[in-house]
């Protein structure tokens, strides 16, 4: 780990050169996150375009798996580009990553669909997603390291916090561009060809980002190390084969980034998924609610980065994980109260049971969506969970046919995987809301925010974003400070992208799989609660405070 030094904090604000470093690094990273999130926001349309040879449910699964592929390869990008960054330099490495990301995104906008070039379309699409994930795996570590190595002592948390806003700003920008394009073209035209526009316009952002980054100089800390001949000849070996450093990598992952990753993805991505897929809020309204919470909350990344320079990184990150773990259940239940009160009432008052022979009931846990359920017990439970119905399973005699009861009344069940009119009619008659129920929260325009329930949901989502800013604002400075200069890029990138790309990126699908397998719309929250709690315990015991270290040590 970097060594401690009593270096005085410089007084005064940022210099002109420091502002340029932060703007150049942040703009490029915003652009990369914008590229990355475009695909996730448009996964359903992309599935129809590139996986059209398959049934709708299957094409959606393939589209989501292609999205997940970008998360899964991020740690490998961290290894590849981290090594290059420690051998060649920070500046040139994140020039390469932004070019790979930007060109891959632009090509997606040009790529003919499956109806035009057949199987080649999805193969090329997945290849582009893998390239995007690899590039993003190398981008964040380079930008965070570069900014931190330019920052004066005592201000690294504040300076790197601007990098921490970029993921949220990239998501926000992608939502705005998609919303504007949809509004201008209309939904039919957007679904047919207009979805390509957000991908194509990114080439202009790429040009600006590359031009700005070409004007940057190499990090002074890295340049000094190179001139003194102290750079690593084998950064991967030093970072991961040496137990002294590998131990710090594990502590950074399990005692910091793992909890940060699940809190972040719960507050931004699972919250959006929960609104749309579980509470049945329309996509337009859901995106606007999330966008408002991000707009209100983004400044707190910088606040908590600044605060971490005063009181330390560790207490803010671990407090964010702990408070989030304790608060997720009441916050998500309050979101249900305000976004879909009829659903909340039905969950509390309507008793639904699937009565079946236990031998005929399998495990519904299906985070990657590739399993196909055929047993009536399984299809009944899957149908109810997809309808956001809380259910329990009751034991029936061996060999008995499956039946569904609603408030004690038997309902004829037909083995239908996507629809069951009798069950649907029964649960709606008992109180579950119909699709398009007027009690479900709905916004007619971006500024339709002054109704009590709408304001309440935005406020609750803002609290979730506040947790995100607590755990994410100081994390870049902490990771930079944990590792010596010669292997910093390699060492910090891997735990960051495992924590965020794997523990965080796979959270929405896994959490919903938990919901489906338990029949409880809130059960998926156990995923972030457990991992955030583990991080609090490990972090309290093993994670060192880093705010006063000397990062110029090699």
């Amino acid at each position: 780990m970097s060594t401690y030094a009593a270096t005085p904090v410089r007084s005064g604000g940022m210099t002109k050169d420091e502002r340029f470093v932060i703007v150049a690094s942040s703009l490029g990273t915003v652009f990369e996150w914008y590229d990355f999130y475009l695909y996730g926001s448009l996964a359903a349309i992309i599935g129809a375009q590139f996986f059209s040879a398959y049934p709708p449910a299957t094409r959606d699964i393939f589209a989501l798996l292609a999205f997940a592929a970008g998360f899964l390869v991020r740690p490998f990008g961290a290894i590849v580009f981290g090594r290059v960054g420690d051998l060649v330099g920070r500046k040139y490495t994140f020039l390469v990553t932004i070019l790979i990301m930007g060109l891959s995104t632009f090509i997606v906008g040009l790529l003919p669909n499956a109806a035009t070039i057949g199987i080649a379309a999805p193969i090329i699409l997945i290849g582009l997603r893998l390239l995007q994930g690899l590039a993003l795996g190398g981008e964040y570590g380079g930008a965070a390291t570069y900014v931190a190595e330019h920052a004066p002592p005592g201000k690294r948390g504040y300076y790197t916090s601007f990098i921490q806003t970029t993921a949220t700003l990239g998501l926000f920008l992608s939502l705005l561009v998609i919303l504007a394009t949809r509004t201008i073209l209309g939904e039919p035209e957007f679904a047919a060809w207009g979805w390509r526009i957000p991908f194509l316009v990114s080439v202009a952002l790429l040009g600006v980002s590359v031009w700005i980054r070409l004007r940057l100089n190499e990090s002074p800390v890295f340049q000094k190390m190179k001139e003194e001949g102290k750079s690593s000849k084998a950064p991967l070996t030093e970072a991961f084969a040496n137990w002294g450093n590998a131990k710090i990598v594990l502590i950074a992952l399990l005692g910091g980034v793992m909890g940060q990753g699940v809190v972040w993805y719960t507050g931004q991505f699972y919250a959006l998924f929960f609104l749309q897929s579980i509470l049945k809020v329309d996509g337009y309204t859901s995106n606007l609610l999330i966008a408002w919470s991000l707009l209100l909350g983004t400044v707190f990344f910088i606040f908590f980065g600044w605060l971490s320079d005063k009181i330390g990184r560790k207490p803010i990150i671990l407090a964010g994980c702990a408070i989030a773990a304790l608060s997720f259940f009441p916050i998500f239940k309050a979101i249900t109260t305000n976004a879909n009160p009829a659903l909340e009432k039905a969950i509390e008052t309507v008793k639904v049971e699937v009565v079946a022979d236990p031998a005929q009931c399998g495990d519904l846990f299906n985070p990657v969506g590739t399993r196909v359920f055929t047993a009536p017990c399984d299809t009944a439970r899957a149908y109810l969970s997809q309808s956001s119905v809380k259910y329990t399973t009751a034991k029936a005699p061996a060999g008995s046919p499956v039946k569904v009861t609603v408030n004690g009344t038997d309902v004829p069940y037909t083995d239908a995987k996507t629809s069951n009119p009798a069950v649907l009619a029964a649960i709606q008659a008992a109180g579950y809301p119909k699709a398009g129920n007027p009690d479900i929260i709905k916004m007619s325009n971006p500024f339709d925010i002054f109704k009590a329930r709408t304001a309440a949901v935005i406020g609750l989502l803002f609290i979730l974003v506040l947790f995100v800013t607590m755990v994410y604002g100081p994390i870049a400075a902490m990771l930079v400070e944990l590792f010596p200069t010669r292997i910093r890029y390699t060492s910090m990138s891997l735990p960051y992208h495992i924590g965020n790309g794997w523990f965080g990126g796979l959270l929405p699908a896994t959490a919903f799989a938990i919901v489906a397998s338990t029949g409880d719309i809130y059960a998926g929250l156990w995923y972030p609660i457990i991992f955030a709690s583990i991080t609090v315990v490990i972090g309290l015991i093993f994670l060192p405070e880093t705010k006063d270290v000397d990062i110029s040590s090699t």
Side-chain angles (χ1 to χ4, degrees):
M1 191 177 77
S2 305
T3 57
Y4 284 84
T7 307
V9 177
R10 191 191 72 197
S11 60
M14 289 182 188
T15 66
K16 180 180 178 182
D17 288 342
E18 288 169 348
R19 282 196 297 271
F20 180 71
V21 164
I22 291 173
V23 170
S25 301
S26 300
L27 279 180
T29 311
V30 167
F31 164 63
E32 294 221 38
W33 282 112
Y34 165 83
D35 282 2
F36 196 76
Y37 290 141
L38 276 183
Y39 184 97
S41 300
L42 299 174
I45 291 175
I46 289 173
Q49 291 283 333
F50 292 95
F51 301 98
S52 55
Y54 304 96
T58 306
R59 74 175 64 139
D60 289 346
I61 290 169
F62 282 146
L64 290 172
L65 287 176
F67 182 56
F71 286 103
L72 294 174
V73 300
R74 277 168 56 181
F76 300 102
I79 292 172
V80 171
F81 291 109
R83 178 179 181 274
V84 174
D86 283 328
L87 287 173
V88 178
R90 288 49 164 136
K91 170 188 172 178
Y92 293 105
T93 304
F94 67 31
L95 266 175
V96 172
T97 60
I98 202 168
L99 281 168
I100 293 173
M101 175 67 85
L103 292 175
S104 297
T105 301
F106 181 66
I107 293 170
V108 170
L110 297 175
L111 184 63
N113 60 22
T116 305
I117 60 173
I119 192 65
I123 292 173
I124 296 171
L125 177 69
I126 292 172
L128 293 170
R129 284 295 302 161
L130 293 174
L131 285 173
Q132 287 180 320
L134 286 169
L136 193 55
E139 164 65 21
Y140 175 83
T145 300
Y146 187 80
V147 171
E149 290 179 348
H150 277 85
K155 295 188 177 183
R156 286 190 294 267
Y158 175 57
Y159 279 38
T160 58
S161 66
F162 288 90
I163 294 293
Q164 302 308 89
T165 67
T166 59
T168 296
L169 291 174
L171 171 61
F172 188 72
L173 180 61
S174 69
L175 293 176
L176 284 182
V177 173
I178 290 169
L179 191 63
T181 309
R182 269 188 154 127
T183 302
I184 293 168
L185 295 180
E187 195 60 33
E189 292 297 310
F190 183 82
W193 61 270
W195 64 270
R196 296 180 181 273
I197 292 175
F199 288 92
L200 295 175
V201 298
S202 69
V203 75
L205 299 174
L206 173 63
V208 172
S209 300
V210 170
W211 175 72
I212 290 175
R213 285 194 173 183
L214 282 171
R215 299 174 59 197
L216 293 171
N217 296 315
E218 185 52 81
S219 151
V221 174
F222 181 84
Q223 192 63 41
K224 180 174 180 290
M225 181 192 68
K226 290 284 284 186
E227 290 169 356
E228 293 173 350
K230 296 180 180 179
S231 59
S232 174
K233 306 300 180 186
L236 291 179
T237 301
E238 282 195 56
F240 308 121
N242 174 8
W243 173 241
N245 196 77
K247 178 178 67 176
I248 301 299
V249 171
L250 284 174
I251 292 171
L253 170 61
L254 302 177
V257 187
M258 180 176 71
Q260 170 260 305
V262 297
V263 171
W264 176 24
Y265 277 82
T266 301
Q268 292 188 185
F269 299 100
Y270 189 65
L272 178 61
F273 180 88
F274 186 81
L275 285 168
Q276 290 180 324
S277 298
I278 296 178
L279 300 187
K280 310 304 180 184
V281 178
D282 67 89
Y284 179 84
T285 299
S286 298
N287 283 314
L288 283 177
L289 292 169
I290 294 292
W292 272 108
S293 68
L294 296 177
L295 185 65
L296 295 171
T298 296
V299 67
F300 286 93
F301 286 108
I302 298 169
F303 170 75
F304 285 114
W306 168 83
L307 185 63
S308 75
D309 287 329
K310 310 300 180 184
I311 67 172
R313 327 297 185 204
K314 178 176 174 176
I316 297 174
I317 294 170
L318 297 186
C321 288
I323 297 170
L326 292 171
S327 304
F328 278 152
F329 275 122
I331 288 174
F332 276 83
K333 287 178 179 178
I335 290 172
T336 303
T337 300
N338 288 280
N340 194 339
L343 176 63
E344 180 188 45
K345 183 178 179 181
I347 288 171
E348 293 174 351
T349 59
V350 180
K351 183 179 180 181
V352 179
E353 281 188 325
V354 178
V355 184
D357 175 3
Q360 302 301 315
C361 295
D363 176 18
L364 289 187
F365 190 67
N366 186 26
V368 296
T370 55
R371 295 174 60 194
V372 177
F373 302 111
T374 56
C377 176
D378 296 339
T379 60
R381 291 183 297 149
Y383 173 73
L384 290 171
S385 65
Q386 289 163 7
S387 304
S388 301
V389 174
K390 182 178 181 180
Y391 69 88
T392 57
T393 304
K395 184 178 179 180
S400 299
V402 172
K403 65 179 180 180
V404 175
T405 67
V406 180
N407 287 337
T409 301
D410 290 357
V411 179
Y413 176 72
T414 54
D415 186 13
K417 299 176 180 60
T418 56
S419 65
N420 197 299
V423 173
L424 180 63
I427 60 176
Q428 289 179 347
Y432 272 91
K434 298 179 181 180
N437 185 297
D439 280 343
I440 299 175
I441 194 169
K442 187 174 181 63
M443 294 177 67
S444 57
N445 63 73
F447 297 98
D448 186 15
I449 59 174
F450 299 106
K451 299 172 185 174
R453 285 170 48 205
T454 303
V457 172
I458 292 173
L460 292 163
L461 293 172
F462 165 74
I463 294 172
L464 293 177
V465 172
L466 200 62
F467 297 156
V468 174
T469 63
M470 288 183 70
V471 299
Y472 199 52
I475 200 78
M478 186 198 79
L479 289 171
V480 167
E481 292 160 348
L482 279 171
F483 303 103
T485 304
R486 67 183 183 278
I487 54 172
R488 178 171 294 136
Y489 200 148
T490 303
S491 298
M492 72 162 287
S493 295
L494 186 64
Y496 175 83
H497 286 293
I498 291 177
N500 286 277
W502 290 3
F503 286 99
L506 300 178
L507 183 150
T510 305
F512 185 66
I514 295 171
V515 170
S517 61
T518 60
D520 180 352
I521 69 170
Y522 303 112
L525 296 172
W526 283 114
Y527 178 108
I529 288 171
I530 289 171
F531 284 115
S533 300
I534 292 172
T535 288
V536 171
V537 174
I538 294 176
L540 283 172
I541 298 172
F542 297 108
L543 188 67
E545 180 52 65
T546 63
K547 77 180 180 68
D548 294 320
V549 303
D550 175 13
I551 68 166
S552 65
S553 66
T554 56

